[in-house]
Coordinates of all heavy atoms in Angstrom, one line a residue:
N165 N -7.2 -10.6 7.5 CA -7.9 -10.3 8.7 C -7.4 -9.0 9.3 O -6.7 -8.9 10.3 CB -7.6 -11.5 9.7 CG -8.4 -11.4 11.0 OD1 -9.4 -10.8 11.0 ND2 -7.8 -11.9 12.0
F166 N -7.8 -7.9 8.6 CA -7.5 -6.6 9.0 C -8.6 -5.6 8.6 O -9.4 -5.9 7.8 CB -6.1 -6.1 8.4 CG -6.1 -6.1 6.9 CD1 -6.6 -5.1 6.1 CD2 -5.5 -7.2 6.2 CE1 -6.6 -5.1 4.7 CE2 -5.4 -7.2 4.8 CZ -5.9 -6.2 4.1
E167 N -8.5 -4.4 9.2 CA -9.4 -3.4 8.9 C -8.7 -2.3 8.1 O -7.6 -1.9 8.4 CB -9.9 -2.8 10.3 CG -11.0 -1.7 10.1 CD -11.4 -1.1 11.4 OE1 -11.2 -1.7 12.5 OE2 -12.0 0.0 11.4
I168 N -9.4 -1.8 7.1 CA -8.9 -0.7 6.3 C -9.2 0.6 6.9 O -10.4 0.9 7.1 CB -9.4 -0.8 4.8 CG1 -9.0 -2.1 4.2 CG2 -8.9 0.4 4.0 CD1 -9.7 -2.4 2.8
I169 N -8.2 1.3 7.3 CA -8.4 2.6 8.0 C -8.4 3.8 7.0 O -9.3 4.6 7.0 CB -7.3 2.9 9.0 CG1 -7.2 1.8 10.0 CG2 -7.5 4.2 9.7 CD1 -8.4 1.5 10.9
K170 N -7.5 3.7 6.0 CA -7.4 4.7 5.0 C -7.0 4.0 3.7 O -6.1 3.2 3.7 CB -6.3 5.7 5.4 CG -6.1 6.9 4.4 CD -5.1 7.9 5.0 CE -5.0 9.1 4.1 NZ -4.0 10.0 4.6
D171 N -7.6 4.4 2.6 CA -7.3 3.9 1.3 C -7.7 4.9 0.3 O -8.8 5.0 -0.2 CB -8.2 2.6 1.1 CG -7.8 1.8 -0.2 OD1 -6.8 2.2 -0.8 OD2 -8.6 0.9 -0.5
T172 N -6.7 5.8 0.0 CA -7.0 6.9 -0.9 C -6.0 7.0 -2.1 O -4.8 6.6 -1.9 CB -6.9 8.2 -0.2 OG1 -5.6 8.4 0.4 CG2 -8.0 8.3 0.9
V173 N -6.5 7.5 -3.2 CA -5.6 7.7 -4.4 C -5.8 9.2 -4.7 O -6.9 9.7 -4.8 CB -6.0 6.9 -5.6 CG1 -5.2 7.2 -6.8 CG2 -5.9 5.4 -5.2
E174 N -4.7 9.9 -4.9 CA -4.7 11.3 -5.4 C -4.0 11.4 -6.7 O -2.8 11.0 -6.8 CB -4.1 12.2 -4.4 CG -4.9 12.4 -3.1 CD -4.3 13.5 -2.2 OE1 -3.7 14.5 -2.8 OE2 -4.4 13.4 -1.0
H175 N -4.7 11.8 -7.7 CA -4.1 12.0 -9.0 C -3.5 13.4 -9.2 O -4.0 14.4 -8.6 CB -5.2 11.8 -10.1 CG -5.7 10.4 -10.1 ND1 -5.1 9.4 -10.8 CD2 -6.8 9.9 -9.6 CE1 -5.8 8.3 -10.6 NE2 -6.8 8.5 -9.9
T176 N -2.4 13.4 -9.8 CA -1.7 14.7 -10.0 C -2.3 15.4 -11.2 O -2.4 14.9 -12.3 CB -0.2 14.5 -10.3 OG1 0.4 13.7 -9.3 CG2 0.6 15.8 -10.4
E177 N -2.8 16.6 -10.9 CA -3.5 17.4 -11.9 C -2.5 17.8 -13.0 O -1.4 18.1 -12.8 CB -4.1 18.7 -11.3 CG -5.2 18.4 -10.3 CD -6.5 18.1 -10.9 OE1 -6.8 18.6 -12.0 OE2 -7.2 17.3 -10.3
E178 N -3.0 17.7 -14.3 CA -2.2 18.1 -15.4 C -0.9 17.5 -15.6 O 0.1 18.0 -16.2 CB -2.1 19.6 -15.5 CG -3.4 20.4 -15.5 CD -3.3 21.9 -15.5 OE1 -2.2 22.4 -15.9 OE2 -4.2 22.5 -15.1
A179 N -0.7 16.3 -15.1 CA 0.5 15.5 -15.2 C 0.6 15.0 -16.6 O -0.4 14.7 -17.3 CB 0.6 14.4 -14.2
F180 N 1.8 14.9 -17.1 CA 2.1 14.4 -18.5 C 1.6 12.9 -18.6 O 0.9 12.5 -19.5 CB 3.5 14.5 -18.8 CG 3.9 13.9 -20.2 CD1 3.5 14.6 -21.3 CD2 4.5 12.7 -20.3 CE1 3.8 14.0 -22.6 CE2 4.8 12.1 -21.5 CZ 4.5 12.8 -22.7
D181 N 1.9 12.2 -17.6 CA 1.5 10.8 -17.5 C 0.4 10.7 -16.5 O -0.1 11.6 -15.9 CB 2.7 9.9 -17.1 CG 2.6 8.5 -17.5 OD1 1.6 8.1 -18.0 OD2 3.6 7.8 -17.2
S182 N 0.0 9.5 -16.1 CA -1.1 9.3 -15.1 C -0.4 9.2 -13.7 O -0.4 8.1 -13.1 CB -1.9 8.1 -15.4 OG -1.1 7.0 -15.5
D183 N 0.2 10.3 -13.3 CA 0.9 10.3 -12.0 C -0.2 10.3 -10.9 O -1.2 11.0 -11.0 CB 1.8 11.5 -11.9 CG 2.9 11.5 -12.9 OD1 3.1 10.4 -13.5 OD2 3.6 12.5 -13.0
Y184 N 0.1 9.5 -9.8 CA -0.8 9.5 -8.7 C 0.0 9.1 -7.4 O 1.1 8.6 -7.5 CB -1.9 8.6 -8.9 CG -1.5 7.1 -9.1 CD1 -1.4 6.3 -8.0 CD2 -1.3 6.6 -10.3 CE1 -1.0 4.9 -8.1 CE2 -0.9 5.3 -10.5 CZ -0.8 4.5 -9.4 OH -0.4 3.2 -9.6
S185 N -0.6 9.3 -6.3 CA -0.1 8.8 -5.0 C -1.2 8.0 -4.3 O -2.3 8.3 -4.4 CB 0.4 9.9 -4.1 OG -0.6 10.8 -3.8
Y186 N -0.7 6.9 -3.7 CA -1.7 6.0 -3.0 C -1.3 5.9 -1.6 O -0.1 5.7 -1.3 CB -1.6 4.6 -3.7 CG -2.4 3.6 -3.1 CD1 -3.8 3.7 -3.0 CD2 -1.8 2.4 -2.6 CE1 -4.5 2.7 -2.4 CE2 -2.5 1.4 -2.0 CZ -3.9 1.5 -1.9 OH -4.6 0.5 -1.3
E187 N -2.2 6.2 -0.7 CA -2.0 6.1 0.7 C -2.9 5.1 1.3 O -4.1 5.1 1.1 CB -2.2 7.4 1.4 CG -1.2 8.5 1.0 CD -1.3 9.8 1.8 OE1 -1.7 9.7 3.0 OE2 -1.1 10.8 1.2
L188 N -2.3 4.2 2.1 CA -3.1 3.1 2.7 C -2.7 2.9 4.2 O -1.5 3.0 4.5 CB -2.7 1.8 2.0 CG -3.2 0.5 2.6 CD1 -4.7 0.4 2.4 CD2 -2.5 -0.7 1.9
T189 N -3.6 2.8 5.0 CA -3.4 2.4 6.4 C -4.3 1.3 6.8 O -5.6 1.4 6.5 CB -3.7 3.6 7.4 OG1 -2.8 4.7 7.0 CG2 -3.4 3.2 8.8
I190 N -3.8 0.2 7.3 CA -4.6 -0.9 7.7 C -4.2 -1.2 9.2 O -3.1 -0.9 9.6 CB -4.4 -2.2 6.8 CG1 -3.0 -2.7 6.9 CG2 -4.9 -1.9 5.4 CD1 -2.8 -4.0 6.1
E191 N -5.2 -1.8 9.9 CA -5.0 -2.2 11.3 C -5.1 -3.7 11.3 O -6.2 -4.2 11.1 CB -5.9 -1.5 12.2 CG -5.6 -1.7 13.7 CD -6.5 -0.8 14.5 OE1 -6.5 0.4 14.3 OE2 -7.1 -1.4 15.5
Y192 N -4.0 -4.4 11.7 CA -4.1 -5.8 11.8 C -4.4 -6.3 13.2 O -4.4 -5.5 14.1 CB -2.8 -6.5 11.3 CG -1.5 -6.0 12.0 CD1 -1.1 -6.8 13.2 CD2 -0.8 -5.0 11.6 CE1 0.0 -6.4 13.8 CE2 0.4 -4.6 12.3 CZ 0.8 -5.3 13.4 OH 1.9 -4.9 14.1
K193 N -4.8 -7.5 13.3 CA -5.3 -8.1 14.5 C -4.1 -8.6 15.4 O -3.0 -8.9 14.9 CB -6.2 -9.3 14.3 CG -7.4 -9.0 13.4 CD -8.4 -8.1 14.0 CE -9.6 -7.8 13.1 NZ -10.2 -6.6 13.3
E194 N -4.3 -8.5 16.7 CA -3.3 -9.0 17.6 C -2.8 -10.4 17.3 O -1.6 -10.7 17.4 CB -3.8 -8.9 19.0 CG -2.8 -9.4 20.1 CD -1.6 -8.5 20.2 OE1 -1.8 -7.3 20.1 OE2 -0.5 -9.0 20.5
S195 N -3.7 -11.2 16.8 CA -3.4 -12.6 16.5 C -2.4 -12.7 15.3 O -1.7 -13.8 15.2 CB -4.6 -13.4 16.2 OG -5.3 -12.8 15.1
D196 N -2.2 -11.7 14.5 CA -1.3 -11.7 13.4 C 0.1 -11.1 13.8 O 1.0 -11.1 13.0 CB -1.8 -10.9 12.2 CG -3.0 -11.7 11.6 OD1 -3.0 -12.9 11.5 OD2 -3.9 -11.0 11.1
S197 N 0.2 -10.5 15.0 CA 1.4 -9.8 15.4 C 2.7 -10.6 15.3 O 3.7 -10.2 14.8 CB 1.3 -9.2 16.8 OG 0.4 -8.1 16.8
K198 N 2.6 -11.8 15.9 CA 3.8 -12.7 16.0 C 4.2 -13.1 14.6 O 5.4 -13.0 14.3 CB 3.4 -13.9 16.8 CG 4.6 -14.8 17.0 CD 4.3 -16.1 17.8 CE 5.5 -17.0 17.9 NZ 5.1 -18.2 18.6
N199 N 3.3 -13.4 13.7 CA 3.7 -13.8 12.4 C 4.4 -12.7 11.6 O 5.4 -12.9 10.9 CB 2.5 -14.3 11.6 CG 2.8 -14.8 10.2 OD1 3.8 -15.3 9.9 ND2 1.8 -14.5 9.3
I200 N 3.8 -11.5 11.7 CA 4.4 -10.3 11.0 C 5.8 -10.0 11.5 O 6.7 -9.9 10.7 CB 3.4 -9.1 11.2 CG1 2.2 -9.3 10.4 CG2 4.1 -7.8 10.7 CD1 1.1 -8.3 10.6
K201 N 6.0 -10.0 12.8 CA 7.3 -9.7 13.4 C 8.3 -10.8 13.0 O 9.4 -10.5 12.7 CB 7.2 -9.7 15.0 CG 6.5 -8.4 15.5 CD 6.5 -8.5 17.0 CE 5.7 -7.4 17.6 NZ 5.5 -7.5 19.1
E202 N 7.9 -12.1 13.0 CA 8.8 -13.1 12.7 C 9.3 -13.0 11.2 O 10.5 -13.2 10.9 CB 8.2 -14.5 12.9 CG 8.2 -14.9 14.4 CD 7.5 -16.2 14.6 OE1 7.0 -16.9 13.7 OE2 7.5 -16.6 15.8
Q203 N 8.3 -12.7 10.3 CA 8.7 -12.6 8.9 C 9.7 -11.4 8.7 O 10.7 -11.6 8.0 CB 7.5 -12.2 8.1 CG 6.5 -13.4 7.8 CD 5.4 -13.0 6.9 OE1 5.6 -12.8 5.8 NE2 4.2 -12.9 7.5
I204 N 9.5 -10.3 9.4 CA 10.4 -9.2 9.3 C 11.8 -9.5 9.9 O 12.8 -9.3 9.3 CB 9.8 -7.9 9.9 CG1 8.5 -7.5 9.1 CG2 10.8 -6.8 10.0 CD1 7.7 -6.4 9.7
L205 N 11.8 -10.0 11.1 CA 13.0 -10.3 11.8 C 13.9 -11.4 11.0 O 15.1 -11.4 11.1 CB 12.8 -10.7 13.2 CG 12.2 -9.6 14.1 CD1 11.8 -10.2 15.5 CD2 13.2 -8.5 14.3
N206 N 13.2 -12.3 10.3 CA 13.9 -13.3 9.6 C 14.1 -13.0 8.1 O 14.6 -13.8 7.4 CB 13.1 -14.6 9.7 CG 13.1 -15.2 11.1 OD1 14.0 -15.0 11.8 ND2 11.9 -15.7 11.5
S207 N 13.8 -11.7 7.7 CA 14.0 -11.4 6.3 C 15.5 -11.2 6.0 O 16.3 -10.9 6.8 CB 13.2 -10.1 6.0 OG 13.7 -9.0 6.7
K208 N 15.7 -11.3 4.7 CA 17.1 -11.1 4.2 C 17.6 -9.7 4.5 O 17.0 -8.7 4.3 CB 17.1 -11.3 2.7 CG 18.4 -11.4 2.0 CD 18.4 -11.4 0.5 CE 17.9 -12.8 0.0 NZ 18.0 -13.0 -1.4
F209 N 18.8 -9.7 5.1 CA 19.5 -8.4 5.4 C 18.8 -7.5 6.4 O 18.9 -6.3 6.4 CB 19.8 -7.6 4.1 CG 20.7 -8.3 3.1 CD1 20.2 -8.7 1.9 CD2 22.0 -8.5 3.4 CE1 21.0 -9.3 1.0 CE2 22.8 -9.2 2.5 CZ 22.3 -9.6 1.3
F210 N 18.0 -8.2 7.3 CA 17.3 -7.4 8.3 C 18.2 -6.4 9.0 O 19.2 -6.8 9.5 CB 16.5 -8.3 9.3 CG 15.9 -7.5 10.4 CD1 14.8 -6.7 10.1 CD2 16.5 -7.5 11.6 CE1 14.2 -5.9 11.2 CE2 15.9 -6.7 12.7 CZ 14.8 -5.9 12.4
D211 N 17.8 -5.2 9.1 CA 18.5 -4.1 9.8 C 20.0 -4.0 9.5 O 20.9 -3.6 10.3 CB 18.4 -4.4 11.3 CG 18.5 -3.1 12.1 OD1 18.1 -2.0 11.6 OD2 19.0 -3.1 13.3
T212 N 20.4 -4.3 8.2 CA 21.7 -4.1 7.7 C 22.1 -2.7 7.8 O 23.3 -2.3 8.1 CB 21.9 -4.7 6.3 OG1 21.4 -6.0 6.3 CG2 23.3 -4.6 5.8
I213 N 21.2 -1.8 7.4 CA 21.4 -0.4 7.3 C 20.2 0.3 7.7 O 19.1 -0.1 7.4 CB 21.9 0.0 5.9 CG1 22.4 1.5 5.9 CG2 20.9 -0.3 4.9 CD1 23.1 1.9 4.6
N214 N 20.3 1.5 8.3 CA 19.1 2.2 8.7 C 19.2 3.6 8.0 O 19.2 4.6 8.7 CB 19.0 2.4 10.2 CG 17.6 2.9 10.6 OD1 16.8 3.2 9.8 ND2 17.4 3.0 11.9
S215 N 19.3 3.6 6.7 CA 19.5 4.8 6.0 C 19.0 4.7 4.6 O 19.2 3.7 3.9 CB 21.0 5.2 6.0 OG 21.2 6.2 5.1
T216 N 18.3 5.7 4.1 CA 17.9 5.8 2.7 C 18.9 6.5 1.9 O 18.7 7.0 0.8 CB 16.5 6.4 2.6 OG1 16.6 7.7 3.2 CG2 15.5 5.5 3.1
N217 N 20.2 6.7 2.4 CA 21.2 7.4 1.7 C 21.7 6.3 0.7 O 22.6 5.5 1.0 CB 22.3 7.8 2.6 CG 23.5 8.4 1.9 OD1 23.5 8.6 0.7 ND2 24.6 8.7 2.6
Y218 N 21.2 6.4 -0.5 CA 21.5 5.4 -1.5 C 22.9 5.5 -2.1 O 23.4 4.7 -2.8 CB 20.5 5.4 -2.6 CG 19.1 5.0 -2.1 CD1 18.1 5.9 -2.1 CD2 18.9 3.7 -1.7 CE1 16.8 5.5 -1.6 CE2 17.6 3.3 -1.2 CZ 16.6 4.2 -1.2 OH 15.4 3.9 -0.7
A219 N 23.7 6.6 -1.6 CA 25.1 6.7 -2.0 C 26.0 5.8 -1.1 O 27.1 5.6 -1.4 CB 25.5 8.2 -1.9
D220 N 25.4 5.4 0.0 CA 26.2 4.5 0.9 C 26.5 3.2 0.2 O 25.7 2.6 -0.4 CB 25.3 4.2 2.1 CG 26.1 3.5 3.2 OD1 26.9 2.6 2.9 OD2 25.9 3.9 4.4
P221 N 27.8 2.8 0.2 CA 28.2 1.6 -0.5 C 27.5 0.3 -0.1 O 27.4 -0.6 -0.9 CB 29.7 1.5 -0.2 CG 30.1 2.8 0.3 CD 28.9 3.5 0.9
I222 N 26.9 0.2 1.1 CA 26.2 -1.0 1.5 C 25.0 -1.2 0.6 O 24.6 -2.4 0.3 CB 25.8 -0.9 3.0 CG1 25.3 -2.3 3.5 CG2 24.7 0.1 3.2 CD1 26.4 -3.3 3.6
W223 N 24.5 -0.2 0.0 CA 23.3 -0.3 -0.9 C 23.7 -1.1 -2.2 O 22.8 -1.8 -2.7 CB 22.6 1.0 -1.2 CG 21.7 1.4 -0.2 CD1 21.9 2.3 0.8 CD2 20.4 0.8 0.1 NE1 20.8 2.3 1.7 CE2 19.9 1.4 1.2 CE3 19.6 -0.2 -0.5 CZ2 18.6 1.1 1.7 CZ3 18.4 -0.5 0.0 CH2 17.9 0.1 1.1
E224 N 24.9 -1.0 -2.6 CA 25.3 -1.8 -3.8 C 25.3 -3.3 -3.5 O 24.8 -4.1 -4.3 CB 26.8 -1.4 -4.2 CG 26.9 0.0 -4.8 CD 28.3 0.4 -5.2 OE1 29.1 -0.6 -5.5 OE2 28.6 1.6 -5.2
I225 N 25.7 -3.6 -2.3 CA 25.6 -5.1 -1.9 C 24.1 -5.5 -1.7 O 23.7 -6.5 -2.2 CB 26.3 -5.3 -0.5 CG1 27.8 -5.0 -0.7 CG2 26.1 -6.7 0.0 CD1 28.6 -4.9 0.5
I226 N 23.3 -4.6 -1.1 CA 21.9 -5.0 -0.9 C 21.2 -5.1 -2.3 O 20.5 -6.1 -2.5 CB 21.2 -3.9 0.0 CG1 21.8 -4.0 1.4 CG2 19.7 -4.1 0.0 CD1 21.4 -2.8 2.3
D227 N 21.5 -4.1 -3.2 CA 20.9 -4.2 -4.5 C 21.3 -5.4 -5.3 O 20.5 -5.9 -6.1 CB 21.3 -2.9 -5.3 CG 20.5 -1.7 -4.9 OD1 19.4 -1.8 -4.2 OD2 20.9 -0.6 -5.2

Side-chain angles (χ1 to χ4, degrees):
N165 188 24
F166 57 81
E167 182 182 343
I168 300 170
I169 307 298
K170 183 178 185 181
D171 187 10
T172 61
V173 176
E174 287 188 33
H175 295 277
T176 306
E177 296 283 330
E178 300 180 22
F180 177 73
D181 202 355
S182 58
D183 296 349
Y184 62 89
S185 62
Y186 175 61
E187 292 186 37
L188 170 73
T189 303
I190 61 174
E191 189 171 308
Y192 58 90
K193 305 293 182 206
E194 178 67 36
S195 57
D196 291 324
S197 289
K198 182 179 178 187
N199 180 38
I200 291 170
K201 286 179 188 177
E202 284 179 357
Q203 286 184 71
I204 293 171
L205 292 171
N206 294 325
S207 65
K208 189 185 287 189
F209 299 112
F210 173 73
D211 207 32
T212 306
I213 187 172
N214 192 357
S215 167
T216 54
N217 176 5
Y218 295 112
D220 192 315
I222 192 72
W223 276 103
E224 290 179 30
I225 296 168
I226 294 168
D227 285 341

